[in-house]
Amino acid sequence: MDRIDKILKHDLFLENLQKNMAAEADRCFCRHDMVHFLDVARIGMIMNLEEKLEIPREWIYGAALLHDIGKHRQYGEGIPHEQASAEIAPKILKDCGFDEKETRVIIDAILQHRNSNMIPERNLRGVLYRADKASRPCFSCTAEQECNWKGNKKNLKILY
């Protein structure tokens, strides 16, 4: 996981992570921070193993760490965060040793992580979508009643 450790130390990653934290400092709902990123990665790994998909671990962690890295741009500039994250991620991935093919697969998953058509896919796109949604602990959230997620989208039971 050397390449993942490089992402965690990459200046552009850290800069955007800090911007997310600042943009969400007063947010009472789910945040787009390291806790969320790692929850998505670990749930994605569980899905990968349970479904016997054999997606490389570094692809799952890379996509999970970067899928919401541009969330602050959605707040500040109105850019959909999947697009903003997909614009930030390629430089980080390249600098951390991911080749062009790996980068394309990861960026595609980032771009599709809000598209519910990904639910049945048995690839990185499907895993990232499902892990992202499964990572939210609605069952214990103090702001659950104020949340705009529809009832059937909320995680009211632990699945992973």
Side-chain angles (χ1 to χ4, degrees):
M1 295 268 285
D2 290 340
R3 298 185 297 176
I4 299 308
D5 290 335
K6 288 178 183 178
I7 291 173
L8 295 174
K9 295 175 185 161
H10 194 281
D11 288 341
L12 188 57
F13 174 77
L14 294 171
E15 173 189 332
N16 283 280
L17 182 62
Q18 288 298 320
K19 288 179 179 180
N20 276 0
M21 291 170 56
E24 295 183 335
D26 297 324
R27 184 176 164 90
C28 67
F29 302 109
C30 297
R31 295 185 183 205
H32 301 84
D33 57 12
M34 279 303 298
V35 172
H36 173 58
F37 298 166
L38 290 174
D39 285 347
V40 172
R42 291 171 177 150
I43 290 170
M45 280 303 302
I46 293 168
M47 292 174 173
N48 188 40
L49 294 169
E50 285 183 348
E51 297 174 28
K52 298 176 177 47
L53 300 176
E54 299 183 10
I55 300 167
R57 179 169 54 169
E58 287 188 330
W59 292 14
I60 292 171
Y61 271 82
L65 290 173
L66 297 171
H67 80 286
D68 285 339
I69 200 65
K71 184 69 175 181
H72 63 91
R73 291 186 65 200
Q74 183 170 323
Y75 299 131
E77 302 167 47
I79 298 170
H81 73 270
E82 65 276 17
Q83 179 184 331
S85 299
E87 291 172 7
I88 296 165
K91 176 166 180 30
I92 297 169
L93 292 166
K94 181 181 180 193
D95 289 352
C96 295
F98 289 83
D99 66 29
E100 287 183 30
K101 177 193 174 208
E102 292 173 308
T103 298
R104 277 194 311 272
V105 171
I106 292 168
I107 297 304
D108 185 43
I110 290 169
L111 285 168
Q112 297 300 320
H113 86 270
R114 296 177 70 198
N115 179 352
S116 62
N117 291 331
M118 299 302 109
I119 292 170
E121 290 198 12
R122 297 179 47 81
N123 54 29
L124 184 61
R125 295 184 333 171
V127 166
L128 184 62
Y129 178 89
R130 289 181 278 119
D132 182 39
K133 303 315 171 263
S135 72
R136 300 307 191 173
C138 305
F139 54 83
S140 66
C141 180
T142 58
E144 187 261 331
Q145 294 299 316
E146 293 82 40
C147 181
N148 65 2
W149 271 23
K150 302 259 187 283
N152 63 344
K153 191 175 179 183
K154 291 181 181 180
N155 297 314
L156 301 175
K157 297 179 182 178
I158 296 176
L159 299 176
Y160 296 94

